[in-house]
Amino acid sequence: MAATAVRVKALRGDSGRFRWRTPVVAGGVRGAAQDAAAGRQDYDLLVIGGGSGGLACAKEAAQLGKKVAVVDYVEPSPRGTRWGLGGTCVNVGCIPKKLMHQAALLGGMIRDAPHYGWEVAQQVPHNWRKMAEAVQNYVKSLNWGHRVQLQDRKVKYFNIKASFVNEHMVRGIAKGGKETLLSAEHIVIATGGRPRYPTHIEGALEHGITSDDIFWLKESPGKTLVVGASYVALECAGFLTGLRLDTTVMMRSIPLRGFDQQMSSLVTEYMASQGTQFLRSCTPLRVRKLPDGQLQVTWEDLKSGREDMGTFDTVLWAIGRVPETRGLNLEKVGVNTNPDSQKILVDAREATSVPHIYAIGDAAEGRPELTPTAIMAGRLLAQRLCGQSSDLMDYSNVPTTVFTPLEYGCVGLSEEEAVARHGEEHVEVYHAYYKPLEFTVAERDASQCYIKMVCLREPPQLVLGLHFLGPNAGEVTQGFALGIKCGASYAQVMRTMGIHPTCAEEVAKLRISKRSGLDPTVTGC
Ligand code: FAD
Ligand code: NDP
């Protein structure tokens, strides 16, 4: 097929100025390769990966008038789970996780209800199949929504697995093996990551599942061992416990590494009070399937060196994630990665070692593995490529929430980080144990409902970090994140009017400093 003489706008470098060129109409594999060799590219921008970052980048660039393509391909999990367009967050991350967390919270509310006069039958069973089907249907609607949005914005979508052929061209392989070559002036890698399997552990791959599977199980996982102690492990163990499943977390070291450790301890303390069992300082050695289908797990107690054993219906590995960079043929085009993490090395403009190839989101080195940061990085990159803005992504003070049964929201520095950076004598920590009003009538234990604000000691006492443990922590932290991003001081937070009666107002009432040694328990209004 001959190239049509339509005139389109194309990107040129980072200047964002347009030049006119004749587009290539792909004439099969060889045609596309020849066109690319002649300096003619199919697209202004090609995005590899249709997840949080990739879709945001593609849609923004298309909205700004660029000719854009997205390639996305989901390799089924070792267990065979597969899903649609939208990446980790939509399919096997934030969305199904938050919905299952909500299902678990509802169980708690059902237990509260009789205190408020609801005559609820004491034993209210939970139906996993029904919950999973509802969650999966919602996720499928999001998959569809993403496809429609791409279509509406004239972004060409290819369901192919991409790898680089050269600096401007990728080869995509479809499910049936069909090959497509696509070329572009600028290429953004947004391939995210996948759960890590401990392949050195006998039976881990054959008998274990990961977060790529848990949300797509049709039947309840039953008695579950969750291995790991970070976001994914604790969130999954939290909702499984909340759904009244016998749940054990096996951790080899500390919970929530990198987070404020006082808060992290309270998170696991609350989980334990709700029924989650913890095997601390333990590491799994092997998993064997018993004739009755149960999984027999042998582990080592790292303190005593003793071996122990238990049986479970499901073993969930939540031991971190590996970036999806290995199959991309990055070495061939000179895109540098960190040999340890396999993540792509990027600069402040998200550019890789090859100037017109960029990387965003979970695949990029040193970036928070969070959806909002991937999205904003993608949008800003598109704006810069289109000459709409020169704004760089600011990765400081990114708020986050761990959706454990008692949610933990935070923004800024942990107490440990603040002390390490500024010295103990320059840091003031204000704190409070408080009782959410909704816990009172329901006679819930609020021992772990705790807030701390980490500030510089010198006036005006700049707020360095806020840590909130309690109901709706994500909602509370989101609002205060704005203040902290704007450089709020302790004095300004204290002048902020509370909204009564809420948990969030307790932040604006943090009068007791740790240094004072006074009892930080809030009593009364
Ligand atoms: P992804 O969303 O992972 O998208 C990458 C896409 O690229 C995928 O569709 C992948 O299949 C595709 N791909 C990979 N290689 C290729 C290739 N060669 N060719 C074509 N396509 C390819 N973050 C939050 O902010 N809040 C949360 O509550 C939260 N909860 C989470 C819960 C879990 C269980 C997990 C695992 C993660 C959670 N996250 C959460 C993190 C969040 O999901 C990720 O940070 C985010 O999805 C990263 O976006 P991304 O664009 O970098 O990659
Ligand atoms: P992390 O890398 O944060 O944590 C891995 C955990 O597994 C650690 O507790 C680690 O322990 C443990 N671990 C690692 N290797 C082994 C092993 N061989 N045996 C036993 N335990 C092991 O991974 P996650 O998968 O939990 O989270 C990945 C990212 O996804 C997070 O950083 C976060 O950004 C994002 N995410 C965000 C969420 C949110 O916003 N709410 C929710 C879920 C994920 P150790 O400390 O000893 O190394």
Side-chain angles (χ1 to χ4, degrees), residues 135-167:
V135 170
Q136 290 157 16
N137 284 341
Y138 179 64
V139 168
K140 284 176 192 162
S141 78
L142 294 179
N143 298 148
W144 174 248
H146 281 303
R147 289 188 78 141
V148 171
Q149 279 181 24
L150 290 181
Q151 224 165 29
D152 287 350
R153 301 198 190 186
K154 308 215 169 0
V155 175
K156 184 83 178 140
Y157 163 60
F158 295 88
N159 186 202
I160 53 179
K161 181 162 186 168
S163 61
F164 280 89
V165 174
N166 63 42
E167 281 186 14

PDB file of all heavy atoms in Angstrom, residues 135-167:
ATOM      1  N   VAL A 135     -16.822  -7.681  41.914  1.00  0.00           N
ATOM      2  CA  VAL A 135     -15.572  -6.921  41.748  1.00  0.00           C
ATOM      3  C   VAL A 135     -15.041  -7.117  40.329  1.00  0.00           C
ATOM      4  O   VAL A 135     -14.656  -6.158  39.641  1.00  0.00           O
ATOM      5  CB  VAL A 135     -14.533  -7.373  42.806  1.00  0.00           C
ATOM      6  CG1 VAL A 135     -13.163  -6.797  42.511  1.00  0.00           C
ATOM      7  CG2 VAL A 135     -14.991  -6.979  44.213  1.00  0.00           C
ATOM      8  N   GLN A 136     -15.048  -8.362  39.866  1.00  0.00           N
ATOM      9  CA  GLN A 136     -14.513  -8.651  38.534  1.00  0.00           C
ATOM     10  C   GLN A 136     -15.353  -7.978  37.441  1.00  0.00           C
ATOM     11  O   GLN A 136     -14.808  -7.467  36.461  1.00  0.00           O
ATOM     12  CB  GLN A 136     -14.439 -10.166  38.323  1.00  0.00           C
ATOM     13  CG  GLN A 136     -13.355 -10.811  39.179  1.00  0.00           C
ATOM     14  CD  GLN A 136     -13.574 -12.286  39.439  1.00  0.00           C
ATOM     15  OE1 GLN A 136     -14.370 -12.940  38.764  1.00  0.00           O
ATOM     16  NE2 GLN A 136     -12.875 -12.826  40.430  1.00  0.00           N
ATOM     17  N   ASN A 137     -16.659  -7.942  37.642  1.00  0.00           N
ATOM     18  CA  ASN A 137     -17.503  -7.265  36.649  1.00  0.00           C
ATOM     19  C   ASN A 137     -17.182  -5.778  36.591  1.00  0.00           C
ATOM     20  O   ASN A 137     -17.157  -5.174  35.520  1.00  0.00           O
ATOM     21  CB  ASN A 137     -18.989  -7.465  36.966  1.00  0.00           C
ATOM     22  CG  ASN A 137     -19.436  -8.864  36.577  1.00  0.00           C
ATOM     23  OD1 ASN A 137     -18.769  -9.529  35.784  1.00  0.00           O
ATOM     24  ND2 ASN A 137     -20.543  -9.312  37.151  1.00  0.00           N
ATOM     25  N   TYR A 138     -16.939  -5.197  37.767  1.00  0.00           N
ATOM     26  CA  TYR A 138     -16.598  -3.774  37.777  1.00  0.00           C
ATOM     27  C   TYR A 138     -15.264  -3.541  37.058  1.00  0.00           C
ATOM     28  O   TYR A 138     -15.134  -2.617  36.251  1.00  0.00           O
ATOM     29  CB  TYR A 138     -16.541  -3.222  39.211  1.00  0.00           C
ATOM     30  CG  TYR A 138     -16.175  -1.759  39.209  1.00  0.00           C
ATOM     31  CD1 TYR A 138     -17.026  -0.833  38.616  1.00  0.00           C
ATOM     32  CD2 TYR A 138     -14.967  -1.317  39.725  1.00  0.00           C
ATOM     33  CE1 TYR A 138     -16.683   0.513  38.544  1.00  0.00           C
ATOM     34  CE2 TYR A 138     -14.612   0.017  39.663  1.00  0.00           C
ATOM     35  CZ  TYR A 138     -15.472   0.919  39.072  1.00  0.00           C
ATOM     36  OH  TYR A 138     -15.121   2.246  38.990  1.00  0.00           O
ATOM     37  N   VAL A 139     -14.298  -4.418  37.332  1.00  0.00           N
ATOM     38  CA  VAL A 139     -12.989  -4.285  36.677  1.00  0.00           C
ATOM     39  C   VAL A 139     -13.154  -4.409  35.160  1.00  0.00           C
ATOM     40  O   VAL A 139     -12.574  -3.639  34.391  1.00  0.00           O
ATOM     41  CB  VAL A 139     -12.000  -5.341  37.227  1.00  0.00           C
ATOM     42  CG1 VAL A 139     -10.736  -5.415  36.372  1.00  0.00           C
ATOM     43  CG2 VAL A 139     -11.630  -5.016  38.678  1.00  0.00           C
ATOM     44  N   LYS A 140     -13.992  -5.352  34.728  1.00  0.00           N
ATOM     45  CA  LYS A 140     -14.195  -5.523  33.280  1.00  0.00           C
ATOM     46  C   LYS A 140     -14.821  -4.269  32.670  1.00  0.00           C
ATOM     47  O   LYS A 140     -14.518  -3.898  31.536  1.00  0.00           O
ATOM     48  CB  LYS A 140     -15.074  -6.751  33.017  1.00  0.00           C
ATOM     49  CG  LYS A 140     -14.287  -8.062  33.204  1.00  0.00           C
ATOM     50  CD  LYS A 140     -15.183  -9.276  33.051  1.00  0.00           C
ATOM     51  CE  LYS A 140     -14.462 -10.527  33.529  1.00  0.00           C
ATOM     52  NZ  LYS A 140     -15.368 -11.641  33.808  1.00  0.00           N
ATOM     53  N   SER A 141     -15.691  -3.606  33.440  1.00  0.00           N
ATOM     54  CA  SER A 141     -16.290  -2.370  32.915  1.00  0.00           C
ATOM     55  C   SER A 141     -15.212  -1.292  32.766  1.00  0.00           C
ATOM     56  O   SER A 141     -15.255  -0.470  31.852  1.00  0.00           O
ATOM     57  CB  SER A 141     -17.442  -1.889  33.809  1.00  0.00           C
ATOM     58  OG  SER A 141     -16.925  -1.236  34.968  1.00  0.00           O
ATOM     59  N   LEU A 142     -14.229  -1.312  33.665  1.00  0.00           N
ATOM     60  CA  LEU A 142     -13.132  -0.342  33.541  1.00  0.00           C
ATOM     61  C   LEU A 142     -12.260  -0.666  32.323  1.00  0.00           C
ATOM     62  O   LEU A 142     -11.810   0.236  31.613  1.00  0.00           O
ATOM     63  CB  LEU A 142     -12.261  -0.344  34.802  1.00  0.00           C
ATOM     64  CG  LEU A 142     -12.933   0.160  36.092  1.00  0.00           C
ATOM     65  CD1 LEU A 142     -11.960   0.075  37.260  1.00  0.00           C
ATOM     66  CD2 LEU A 142     -13.436   1.593  35.938  1.00  0.00           C
ATOM     67  N   ASN A 143     -12.035  -1.975  32.075  1.00  0.00           N
ATOM     68  CA  ASN A 143     -11.265  -2.377  30.883  1.00  0.00           C
ATOM     69  C   ASN A 143     -11.931  -1.797  29.623  1.00  0.00           C
ATOM     70  O   ASN A 143     -11.283  -1.220  28.759  1.00  0.00           O
ATOM     71  CB  ASN A 143     -11.223  -3.902  30.721  1.00  0.00           C
ATOM     72  CG  ASN A 143     -10.538  -4.629  31.860  1.00  0.00           C
ATOM     73  OD1 ASN A 143     -10.901  -5.745  32.194  1.00  0.00           O
ATOM     74  ND2 ASN A 143      -9.539  -4.014  32.461  1.00  0.00           N
ATOM     75  N   TRP A 144     -13.228  -1.965  29.590  1.00  0.00           N
ATOM     76  CA  TRP A 144     -13.988  -1.491  28.439  1.00  0.00           C
ATOM     77  C   TRP A 144     -13.898   0.028  28.348  1.00  0.00           C
ATOM     78  O   TRP A 144     -13.670   0.604  27.273  1.00  0.00           O
ATOM     79  CB  TRP A 144     -15.440  -1.968  28.573  1.00  0.00           C
ATOM     80  CG  TRP A 144     -16.348  -1.431  27.517  1.00  0.00           C
ATOM     81  CD1 TRP A 144     -17.361  -0.543  27.679  1.00  0.00           C
ATOM     82  CD2 TRP A 144     -16.304  -1.744  26.121  1.00  0.00           C
ATOM     83  NE1 TRP A 144     -17.958  -0.275  26.481  1.00  0.00           N
ATOM     84  CE2 TRP A 144     -17.330  -1.004  25.495  1.00  0.00           C
ATOM     85  CE3 TRP A 144     -15.494  -2.574  25.337  1.00  0.00           C
ATOM     86  CZ2 TRP A 144     -17.561  -1.055  24.134  1.00  0.00           C
ATOM     87  CZ3 TRP A 144     -15.730  -2.624  23.967  1.00  0.00           C
ATOM     88  CH2 TRP A 144     -16.762  -1.874  23.381  1.00  0.00           C
ATOM     89  N   GLY A 145     -14.065   0.690  29.481  1.00  0.00           N
ATOM     90  CA  GLY A 145     -13.998   2.163  29.531  1.00  0.00           C
ATOM     91  C   GLY A 145     -12.664   2.671  28.985  1.00  0.00           C
ATOM     92  O   GLY A 145     -12.626   3.665  28.246  1.00  0.00           O
ATOM     93  N   HIS A 146     -11.581   1.987  29.318  1.00  0.00           N
ATOM     94  CA  HIS A 146     -10.267   2.431  28.821  1.00  0.00           C
ATOM     95  C   HIS A 146     -10.185   2.295  27.299  1.00  0.00           C
ATOM     96  O   HIS A 146      -9.636   3.160  26.622  1.00  0.00           O
ATOM     97  CB  HIS A 146      -9.144   1.631  29.486  1.00  0.00           C
ATOM     98  CG  HIS A 146      -8.841   2.111  30.878  1.00  0.00           C
ATOM     99  ND1 HIS A 146      -8.483   3.420  31.144  1.00  0.00           N
ATOM    100  CD2 HIS A 146      -8.846   1.485  32.069  1.00  0.00           C
ATOM    101  CE1 HIS A 146      -8.282   3.569  32.445  1.00  0.00           C
ATOM    102  NE2 HIS A 146      -8.519   2.406  33.032  1.00  0.00           N
ATOM    103  N   ARG A 147     -10.740   1.222  26.780  1.00  0.00           N
ATOM    104  CA  ARG A 147     -10.702   1.036  25.318  1.00  0.00           C
ATOM    105  C   ARG A 147     -11.498   2.133  24.629  1.00  0.00           C
ATOM    106  O   ARG A 147     -11.057   2.684  23.617  1.00  0.00           O
ATOM    107  CB  ARG A 147     -11.283  -0.337  24.940  1.00  0.00           C
ATOM    108  CG  ARG A 147     -10.361  -1.459  25.336  1.00  0.00           C
ATOM    109  CD  ARG A 147     -10.835  -2.761  24.790  1.00  0.00           C
ATOM    110  NE  ARG A 147     -10.501  -2.873  23.377  1.00  0.00           N
ATOM    111  CZ  ARG A 147     -10.081  -3.996  22.808  1.00  0.00           C
ATOM    112  NH1 ARG A 147      -9.955  -5.076  23.518  1.00  0.00           N
ATOM    113  NH2 ARG A 147      -9.813  -4.041  21.530  1.00  0.00           N
ATOM    114  N   VAL A 148     -12.661   2.462  25.201  1.00  0.00           N
ATOM    115  CA  VAL A 148     -13.507   3.495  24.601  1.00  0.00           C
ATOM    116  C   VAL A 148     -12.784   4.845  24.648  1.00  0.00           C
ATOM    117  O   VAL A 148     -12.770   5.604  23.672  1.00  0.00           O
ATOM    118  CB  VAL A 148     -14.870   3.563  25.334  1.00  0.00           C
ATOM    119  CG1 VAL A 148     -15.684   4.761  24.879  1.00  0.00           C
ATOM    120  CG2 VAL A 148     -15.644   2.271  25.111  1.00  0.00           C
ATOM    121  N   GLN A 149     -12.161   5.128  25.777  1.00  0.00           N
ATOM    122  CA  GLN A 149     -11.448   6.413  25.905  1.00  0.00           C
ATOM    123  C   GLN A 149     -10.334   6.529  24.867  1.00  0.00           C
ATOM    124  O   GLN A 149     -10.125   7.593  24.292  1.00  0.00           O
ATOM    125  CB  GLN A 149     -10.836   6.528  27.299  1.00  0.00           C
ATOM    126  CG  GLN A 149     -11.830   6.959  28.356  1.00  0.00           C
ATOM    127  CD  GLN A 149     -11.146   7.074  29.709  1.00  0.00           C
ATOM    128  OE1 GLN A 149      -9.942   7.260  29.813  1.00  0.00           O
ATOM    129  NE2 GLN A 149     -11.919   6.957  30.763  1.00  0.00           N
ATOM    130  N   LEU A 150      -9.619   5.429  24.645  1.00  0.00           N
ATOM    131  CA  LEU A 150      -8.544   5.476  23.645  1.00  0.00           C
ATOM    132  C   LEU A 150      -9.137   5.751  22.261  1.00  0.00           C
ATOM    133  O   LEU A 150      -8.619   6.567  21.502  1.00  0.00           O
ATOM    134  CB  LEU A 150      -7.750   4.164  23.633  1.00  0.00           C
ATOM    135  CG  LEU A 150      -6.873   3.893  24.852  1.00  0.00           C
ATOM    136  CD1 LEU A 150      -6.118   2.573  24.685  1.00  0.00           C
ATOM    137  CD2 LEU A 150      -5.873   5.021  25.108  1.00  0.00           C
ATOM    138  N   GLN A 151     -10.234   5.073  21.999  1.00  0.00           N
ATOM    139  CA  GLN A 151     -10.887   5.250  20.697  1.00  0.00           C
ATOM    140  C   GLN A 151     -11.345   6.699  20.531  1.00  0.00           C
ATOM    141  O   GLN A 151     -11.098   7.318  19.503  1.00  0.00           O
ATOM    142  CB  GLN A 151     -12.098   4.340  20.634  1.00  0.00           C
ATOM    143  CG  GLN A 151     -12.245   3.603  19.331  1.00  0.00           C
ATOM    144  CD  GLN A 151     -13.243   2.464  19.504  1.00  0.00           C
ATOM    145  OE1 GLN A 151     -14.168   2.542  20.331  1.00  0.00           O
ATOM    146  NE2 GLN A 151     -13.053   1.415  18.741  1.00  0.00           N
ATOM    147  N   ASP A 152     -11.998   7.219  21.582  1.00  0.00           N
ATOM    148  CA  ASP A 152     -12.514   8.593  21.519  1.00  0.00           C
ATOM    149  C   ASP A 152     -11.396   9.590  21.257  1.00  0.00           C
ATOM    150  O   ASP A 152     -11.594  10.602  20.595  1.00  0.00           O
ATOM    151  CB  ASP A 152     -13.196   8.975  22.838  1.00  0.00           C
ATOM    152  CG  ASP A 152     -14.530   8.267  22.998  1.00  0.00           C
ATOM    153  OD1 ASP A 152     -14.986   7.654  22.007  1.00  0.00           O
ATOM    154  OD2 ASP A 152     -15.108   8.311  24.113  1.00  0.00           O
ATOM    155  N   ARG A 153     -10.233   9.303  21.817  1.00  0.00           N
ATOM    156  CA  ARG A 153      -9.121  10.265  21.651  1.00  0.00           C
ATOM    157  C   ARG A 153      -8.225   9.915  20.477  1.00  0.00           C
ATOM    158  O   ARG A 153      -7.142  10.444  20.332  1.00  0.00           O
ATOM    159  CB  ARG A 153      -8.310  10.336  22.932  1.00  0.00           C
ATOM    160  CG  ARG A 153      -9.184  10.771  24.073  1.00  0.00           C
ATOM    161  CD  ARG A 153      -8.447  11.265  25.243  1.00  0.00           C
ATOM    162  NE  ARG A 153      -9.402  11.403  26.326  1.00  0.00           N
ATOM    163  CZ  ARG A 153      -9.130  11.923  27.484  1.00  0.00           C
ATOM    164  NH1 ARG A 153      -7.916  12.367  27.720  1.00  0.00           N
ATOM    165  NH2 ARG A 153     -10.054  12.025  28.417  1.00  0.00           N
ATOM    166  N   LYS A 154      -8.679   8.946  19.703  1.00  0.00           N
ATOM    167  CA  LYS A 154      -7.960   8.546  18.474  1.00  0.00           C
ATOM    168  C   LYS A 154      -6.556   8.020  18.772  1.00  0.00           C
ATOM    169  O   LYS A 154      -5.611   8.232  18.006  1.00  0.00           O
ATOM    170  CB  LYS A 154      -7.916   9.704  17.470  1.00  0.00           C
ATOM    171  CG  LYS A 154      -9.285  10.308  17.194  1.00  0.00           C
ATOM    172  CD  LYS A 154      -9.439  10.759  15.792  1.00  0.00           C
ATOM    173  CE  LYS A 154     -10.850  11.137  15.393  1.00  0.00           C
ATOM    174  NZ  LYS A 154     -11.920  11.048  16.366  1.00  0.00           N
ATOM    175  N   VAL A 155      -6.446   7.347  19.891  1.00  0.00           N
ATOM    176  CA  VAL A 155      -5.189   6.656  20.198  1.00  0.00           C
ATOM    177  C   VAL A 155      -5.320   5.246  19.658  1.00  0.00           C
ATOM    178  O   VAL A 155      -6.288   4.550  19.967  1.00  0.00           O
ATOM    179  CB  VAL A 155      -4.928   6.593  21.721  1.00  0.00           C
ATOM    180  CG1 VAL A 155      -3.673   5.765  22.020  1.00  0.00           C
ATOM    181  CG2 VAL A 155      -4.809   7.985  22.313  1.00  0.00           C
ATOM    182  N   LYS A 156      -4.372   4.827  18.831  1.00  0.00           N
ATOM    183  CA  LYS A 156      -4.436   3.480  18.262  1.00  0.00           C
ATOM    184  C   LYS A 156      -3.952   2.483  19.314  1.00  0.00           C
ATOM    185  O   LYS A 156      -2.891   2.667  19.913  1.00  0.00           O
ATOM    186  CB  LYS A 156      -3.542   3.445  17.015  1.00  0.00           C
ATOM    187  CG  LYS A 156      -3.590   2.153  16.281  1.00  0.00           C
ATOM    188  CD  LYS A 156      -4.770   2.047  15.348  1.00  0.00           C
ATOM    189  CE  LYS A 156      -4.714   0.714  14.614  1.00  0.00           C
ATOM    190  NZ  LYS A 156      -5.994   0.085  14.450  1.00  0.00           N
ATOM    191  N   TYR A 157      -4.767   1.441  19.543  1.00  0.00           N
ATOM    192  CA  TYR A 157      -4.422   0.447  20.566  1.00  0.00           C
ATOM    193  C   TYR A 157      -4.081  -0.876  19.910  1.00  0.00           C
ATOM    194  O   TYR A 157      -4.824  -1.367  19.063  1.00  0.00           O
ATOM    195  CB  TYR A 157      -5.608   0.299  21.535  1.00  0.00           C
ATOM    196  CG  TYR A 157      -5.577  -0.952  22.385  1.00  0.00           C
ATOM    197  CD1 TYR A 157      -4.518  -1.193  23.254  1.00  0.00           C
ATOM    198  CD2 TYR A 157      -6.612  -1.886  22.321  1.00  0.00           C
ATOM    199  CE1 TYR A 157      -4.486  -2.350  24.037  1.00  0.00           C
ATOM    200  CE2 TYR A 157      -6.598  -3.030  23.100  1.00  0.00           C
ATOM    201  CZ  TYR A 157      -5.530  -3.262  23.949  1.00  0.00           C
ATOM    202  OH  TYR A 157      -5.499  -4.394  24.718  1.00  0.00           O
ATOM    203  N   PHE A 158      -2.950  -1.441  20.307  1.00  0.00           N
ATOM    204  CA  PHE A 158      -2.540  -2.760  19.815  1.00  0.00           C
ATOM    205  C   PHE A 158      -2.392  -3.703  21.004  1.00  0.00           C
ATOM    206  O   PHE A 158      -1.671  -3.384  21.952  1.00  0.00           O
ATOM    207  CB  PHE A 158      -1.181  -2.688  19.111  1.00  0.00           C
ATOM    208  CG  PHE A 158      -1.176  -1.860  17.863  1.00  0.00           C
ATOM    209  CD1 PHE A 158      -0.921  -0.492  17.933  1.00  0.00           C
ATOM    210  CD2 PHE A 158      -1.409  -2.430  16.622  1.00  0.00           C
ATOM    211  CE1 PHE A 158      -0.902   0.286  16.782  1.00  0.00           C
ATOM    212  CE2 PHE A 158      -1.387  -1.659  15.464  1.00  0.00           C
ATOM    213  CZ  PHE A 158      -1.143  -0.300  15.542  1.00  0.00           C
ATOM    214  N   ASN A 159      -3.053  -4.834  20.934  1.00  0.00           N
ATOM    215  CA  ASN A 159      -2.923  -5.842  22.000  1.00  0.00           C
ATOM    216  C   ASN A 159      -1.761  -6.772  21.630  1.00  0.00           C
ATOM    217  O   ASN A 159      -1.959  -7.905  21.207  1.00  0.00           O
ATOM    218  CB  ASN A 159      -4.251  -6.603  22.123  1.00  0.00           C
ATOM    219  CG  ASN A 159      -4.260  -7.569  23.289  1.00  0.00           C
ATOM    220  OD1 ASN A 159      -5.024  -8.508  23.313  1.00  0.00           O
ATOM    221  ND2 ASN A 159      -3.402  -7.351  24.274  1.00  0.00           N
ATOM    222  N   ILE A 160      -0.553  -6.238  21.788  1.00  0.00           N
ATOM    223  CA  ILE A 160       0.648  -7.002  21.401  1.00  0.00           C
ATOM    224  C   ILE A 160       1.741  -6.816  22.443  1.00  0.00           C
ATOM    225  O   ILE A 160       1.779  -5.813  23.150  1.00  0.00           O
ATOM    226  CB  ILE A 160       1.190  -6.544  20.024  1.00  0.00           C
ATOM    227  CG1 ILE A 160       1.413  -5.015  20.004  1.00  0.00           C
ATOM    228  CG2 ILE A 160       0.280  -6.986  18.907  1.00  0.00           C
ATOM    229  CD1 ILE A 160       1.959  -4.480  18.691  1.00  0.00           C
ATOM    230  N   LYS A 161       2.609  -7.809  22.513  1.00  0.00           N
ATOM    231  CA  LYS A 161       3.741  -7.734  23.446  1.00  0.00           C
ATOM    232  C   LYS A 161       4.937  -7.157  22.699  1.00  0.00           C
ATOM    233  O   LYS A 161       5.395  -7.727  21.702  1.00  0.00           O
ATOM    234  CB  LYS A 161       4.057  -9.124  23.990  1.00  0.00           C
ATOM    235  CG  LYS A 161       5.195  -9.082  24.971  1.00  0.00           C
ATOM    236  CD  LYS A 161       5.250 -10.309  25.818  1.00  0.00           C
ATOM    237  CE  LYS A 161       6.333 -10.084  26.872  1.00  0.00           C
ATOM    238  NZ  LYS A 161       6.318 -11.043  27.903  1.00  0.00           N
ATOM    239  N   ALA A 162       5.428  -6.036  23.206  1.00  0.00           N
ATOM    240  CA  ALA A 162       6.434  -5.288  22.442  1.00  0.00           C
ATOM    241  C   ALA A 162       7.850  -5.534  22.927  1.00  0.00           C
ATOM    242  O   ALA A 162       8.089  -5.795  24.101  1.00  0.00           O
ATOM    243  CB  ALA A 162       6.117  -3.799  22.542  1.00  0.00           C
ATOM    244  N   SER A 163       8.786  -5.461  21.964  1.00  0.00           N
ATOM    245  CA  SER A 163      10.207  -5.407  22.316  1.00  0.00           C
ATOM    246  C   SER A 163      10.886  -4.546  21.250  1.00  0.00           C
ATOM    247  O   SER A 163      10.383  -4.415  20.124  1.00  0.00           O
ATOM    248  CB  SER A 163      10.815  -6.805  22.362  1.00  0.00           C
ATOM    249  OG  SER A 163      10.720  -7.402  21.101  1.00  0.00           O
ATOM    250  N   PHE A 164      12.018  -3.955  21.622  1.00  0.00           N
ATOM    251  CA  PHE A 164      12.667  -3.022  20.705  1.00  0.00           C
ATOM    252  C   PHE A 164      13.375  -3.760  19.559  1.00  0.00           C
ATOM    253  O   PHE A 164      14.022  -4.788  19.769  1.00  0.00           O
ATOM    254  CB  PHE A 164      13.696  -2.168  21.445  1.00  0.00           C
ATOM    255  CG  PHE A 164      13.071  -1.024  22.194  1.00  0.00           C
ATOM    256  CD1 PHE A 164      12.648  -1.178  23.506  1.00  0.00           C
ATOM    257  CD2 PHE A 164      12.888   0.210  21.572  1.00  0.00           C
ATOM    258  CE1 PHE A 164      12.062  -0.132  24.187  1.00  0.00           C
ATOM    259  CE2 PHE A 164      12.302   1.265  22.251  1.00  0.00           C
ATOM    260  CZ  PHE A 164      11.888   1.098  23.572  1.00  0.00           C
ATOM    261  N   VAL A 165      13.236  -3.179  18.361  1.00  0.00           N
ATOM    262  CA  VAL A 165      13.997  -3.647  17.200  1.00  0.00           C
ATOM    263  C   VAL A 165      15.185  -2.706  17.013  1.00  0.00           C
ATOM    264  O   VAL A 165      16.309  -3.114  16.800  1.00  0.00           O
ATOM    265  CB  VAL A 165      13.111  -3.634  15.931  1.00  0.00           C
ATOM    266  CG1 VAL A 165      13.931  -3.981  14.694  1.00  0.00           C
ATOM    267  CG2 VAL A 165      11.944  -4.582  16.096  1.00  0.00           C
ATOM    268  N   ASN A 166      14.880  -1.419  17.099  1.00  0.00           N
ATOM    269  CA  ASN A 166      15.938  -0.413  17.106  1.00  0.00           C
ATOM    270  C   ASN A 166      15.425   0.791  17.906  1.00  0.00           C
ATOM    271  O   ASN A 166      14.340   0.734  18.481  1.00  0.00           O
ATOM    272  CB  ASN A 166      16.388  -0.058  15.678  1.00  0.00           C
ATOM    273  CG  ASN A 166      15.264   0.581  14.866  1.00  0.00           C
ATOM    274  OD1 ASN A 166      14.520   1.420  15.364  1.00  0.00           O
ATOM    275  ND2 ASN A 166      15.139   0.163  13.613  1.00  0.00           N
ATOM    276  N   GLU A 167      16.169   1.874  17.892  1.00  0.00           N
ATOM    277  CA  GLU A 167      15.837   3.016  18.755  1.00  0.00           C
ATOM    278  C   GLU A 167      14.473   3.642  18.483  1.00  0.00           C
ATOM    279  O   GLU A 167      13.926   4.344  19.323  1.00  0.00           O
ATOM    280  CB  GLU A 167      16.888   4.113  18.556  1.00  0.00           C
ATOM    281  CG  GLU A 167      18.165   3.862  19.285  1.00  0.00           C
ATOM    282  CD  GLU A 167      19.088   5.052  19.165  1.00  0.00           C
ATOM    283  OE1 GLU A 167      18.630   6.140  18.759  1.00  0.00           O
ATOM    284  OE2 GLU A 167      20.265   4.883  19.478  1.00  0.00           O
TER     285      GLU A 167
END
